[in-house]
Amino acid sequence: MRMLMVGAALVMMTSAAMTFGAMADDDDDAKGAQKLAMQGRDDYWHCLAREYSRDSNQGMSEQDFGRSVAGACPSERQYYRVALLDYLTTQYPNIDAGAHLATANRAVESAQKDIVTAFVKHRPPAK
């Protein structure tokens, strides 16, 4: 009887450890996904900043610069979108994937809009 109780206790401890380990893994996954999303955001912003500071942008209209930015940094943009999508899916698994994709797309669009706004505000006045 004593061996049965010890065996049951070991099973319960193992089960609890596995559950805790899975929870820790989920937490690690979320932190890792968050870190990758932040890295993707930073990489995309740095790339957009390089586009912003190019000498060839002098004299560009807002519309031309906006088109230039929209086509710039394709790999950084895609990495940011995918990393953010992964993070949102990890954090909010019960929300539709389409909603997460829409959020990720809005984040990319917002970054592009912000860099165009900065370009317009800091552009020297026309002579």
Side-chain angles (χ1 to χ4, degrees):
M1 179 72 159
R2 186 165 192 225
M3 289 298 278
L4 183 60
M5 290 181 67
V6 170
L10 283 173
V11 168
M12 287 179 17
M13 288 175 25
T14 303
S15 177
M18 288 172 53
T19 301
F20 179 74
M23 288 177 11
D25 286 346
D26 288 347
D27 192 41
D28 288 345
D29 289 346
K31 286 180 183 177
Q34 181 181 23
K35 183 178 178 181
L36 291 175
M38 291 170 49
Q39 183 65 48
R41 177 203 61 203
D42 292 347
D43 290 348
Y44 187 50
W45 270 100
H46 287 110
C47 184
L48 291 177
R50 285 190 302 273
E51 290 298 314
Y52 172 85
S53 61
R54 288 182 187 231
D55 289 337
S56 61
N57 293 332
Q58 299 298 322
M60 265 190 179
S61 69
E62 178 180 350
Q63 292 78 17
D64 288 342
F65 183 72
R67 280 191 290 275
S68 174
V69 164
C73 311
S75 61
E76 291 88 348
R77 179 179 58 242
Q78 185 62 12
Y79 181 83
Y80 176 39
R81 181 181 289 118
V82 169
L84 185 55
L85 184 60
D86 184 47
Y87 170 69
L88 292 170
T89 303
T90 301
Q91 282 296 109
Y92 309 102
N94 296 330
I95 295 178
D96 178 57
H100 292 319
L101 181 58
T103 300
N105 285 335
R106 281 193 304 274
V108 168
E109 291 167 8
S110 179
Q112 292 172 356
K113 182 180 176 187
D114 288 348
I115 204 76
V116 170
T117 299
F119 175 79
V120 170
K121 286 185 177 184
H122 295 102
R123 183 173 50 182
K127 294 182 180 182

